[in-house]
Amino acid sequence: MEREHTVDDLTSDSATELRRAARGNERVAVADAPDDSVRLVGEAEGLRELVRTLWVRELSAREFGQPGLAAADRAVRMRLQRQV
């Protein structure tokens, strides 16, 4: 069953990182939403997979010395994880 989740009050970096992470996930679609939020539509497993993708992106950003990207990935991952 498809679910809809809106992640609100995001920084522009966090919103951008969430959209990028969702692009590679065939089970989740990004729907129209205001600038400071991202609306996701997909099955529960697809949303959980997106949380894992954000975790991997965070670790990769840390490894390659990009603390800003790591922080953005972590912030949005934590918010999304609470919802799914």
Side-chain angles (χ1 to χ4, degrees), residues 14-66:
S14 291
T16 299
E17 289 305 301
L18 180 53
R19 286 184 183 98
R20 284 181 183 155
R23 273 194 300 221
N25 188 325
E26 295 178 3
R27 293 187 240 175
V28 175
V30 177
D32 290 334
D35 290 340
D36 66 341
S37 59
V38 175
R39 193 167 56 126
L40 303 167
V41 179
E43 295 182 12
E45 182 55 36
L47 294 168
R48 286 190 294 272
E49 183 179 316
L50 184 56
V51 169
R52 290 188 296 271
T53 299
L54 287 162
W55 173 242
V56 170
R57 291 174 61 87
E58 177 187 346
L59 294 176
S60 178
R62 282 187 195 170
E63 182 179 336
F64 290 100
Q66 299 175 311

